[in-house]
Amino acid sequence: MSHTPLVRVSEVSVAFRGHTVLDGVNLTVEPGRIVTLVGPNGAGKSTLLKVAVGLLPPDRGRVAFGARTVGYVPQKLVIERILPLSVRRFLAMAVRGPVGHSQLEDALTLVGAGHVLRRQVADLSGGEMQRVLLARAMLRRPDLLVLDEPVGGVDMAGQAELYDLIAALAHRDGVGILMVSHDLHVVMAATDEVVCLNHHVCCAGHPETVSRHPEYLALFGPRVAGSLAIYTHAHDHGHLADGSVLPLDPDHPVHQHGPECHHG
């Protein structure tokens, strides 16, 4: 698997009406890696995603793209009820060239929404819409998938299924994932790298390292950080090429250490 970055954000700053939203932010996403942004509301997470996919130009800094195709799932997409747009047509619009019924149905089935293909987009629930948006992004066969709160409105069981799917896309299929999530338990369990953002990068690195960093604790509180301990990912196994788990020899453990946190 190539380790050429799919996107590299270098010293990026963005301001709206004189208010600094991002200040000197650095970020790199490589193939097969899940990078998750966490931080308080208004920290600039969604803005950083838009910069990373080219939807918003930075005021300063540079964004270098190595990805051939990007799939983007926004936090919310509102479709006017008076607009006649079927799920089938909405999905087909994401693909260049003709697309078959079975291909669309397979994409929806993969995200647990196979039953909505013939429905109107405006009639979908919030959770159904998020599943459709993820299916639409995956139809593009992206090598970089950018997700802004991808499980909003999805029930707990559905959230676990979608996060498992996202992990499989990264670790089995080599897709790079850049994601915003407020579910800290999931972040600490299923992410390769956490970037804690509050207009600047407070700290970044392996989830266990970030969870002990003073700035992370200051943002989320020691009670929240302490409750995450049972969810952190234990490195007592490896992964085969198909993503399945390979138990490691307890007499020869493999220790993995993430990068140290740093001040942005």
Side-chain angles (χ1 to χ4, degrees):
M1 183 185 299
S2 171
H3 291 286
T4 302
L6 297 169
V7 62
R8 186 189 298 276
V9 174
S10 303
E11 294 297 323
V12 157
S13 296
V14 175
F16 297 134
R17 297 178 181 177
H19 174 66
T20 298
V21 179
L22 298 175
D23 184 14
V25 171
N26 295 293
L27 177 76
T28 300
V29 183
E30 295 180 345
R33 300 276 292 175
I34 302 176
V35 179
T36 305
L37 305 178
V38 300
N41 291 335
K45 302 184 296 296
S46 294
T47 298
L48 180 54
L49 291 193
K50 291 175 183 177
V51 169
V53 299
L55 294 176
L56 179 68
D59 295 324
R60 295 192 304 275
R62 182 171 177 267
V63 180
F65 292 100
R68 297 182 302 274
T69 306
V70 177
Y72 175 57
V73 177
Q75 188 176 64
K76 183 179 292 186
L77 182 64
V78 178
I79 303 294
E80 293 291 339
R81 296 191 65 84
I82 61 172
L83 179 66
L85 179 63
S86 69
V87 171
R88 176 186 175 87
R89 184 182 177 198
F90 180 65
L91 292 177
M93 289 166 59
V95 183
R96 292 181 180 178
V99 58
H101 177 91
S102 61
Q103 186 180 354
L104 300 179
E105 197 165 44
D106 288 348
L108 286 173
T109 299
L110 193 60
V111 300
H115 60 288
V116 305
L117 182 59
R118 295 176 177 84
R119 300 250 305 269
Q120 290 291 305
V121 171
D123 293 334
L124 299 178
S125 68
E128 288 171 336
M129 188 64 192
Q130 287 307 111
R131 291 175 186 269
V132 168
L133 288 172
L134 181 56
R136 189 174 191 266
M138 290 167 55
L139 277 169
R140 294 174 53 82
R141 299 187 181 277
D143 45 5
L144 174 64
L145 188 58
V146 179
L147 310 168
D148 194 352
E149 290 288 347
V151 298
V154 180
D155 61 34
M156 291 297 292
Q159 288 182 25
E161 292 173 359
L162 291 182
Y163 278 124
D164 283 346
L165 173 61
I166 291 166
L169 289 172
H171 301 145
R172 182 191 65 204
D173 301 335
V175 178
I177 308 287
L178 176 60
M179 177 170 61
V180 167
S181 177
H182 284 100
D183 190 340
L184 297 179
H185 295 97
V186 172
V187 168
M188 294 302 168
T191 301
D192 297 305
E193 181 179 0
V194 175
V195 176
C196 186
L197 190 70
N198 193 17
H199 305 299
H200 67 285
V201 176
C202 302
C203 57
H206 188 275
E208 292 180 27
T209 306
V210 170
S211 67
R212 295 190 297 267
H213 192 274
E215 289 203 48
Y216 175 85
L217 295 173
L219 285 175
F220 296 106
R223 178 176 299 179
V224 171
S227 71
L228 299 178
I230 60 172
Y231 292 91
T232 53
H233 186 69
H235 299 290
D236 57 356
H237 63 270
H239 294 276
L240 298 175
D242 64 357
S244 58
V245 172
L246 174 66
L248 297 180
D249 184 343
D251 295 326
H252 299 88
V254 176
H255 299 286
Q256 299 180 11
H257 299 282
E260 292 299 322
C261 284
H262 58 275
H263 292 274

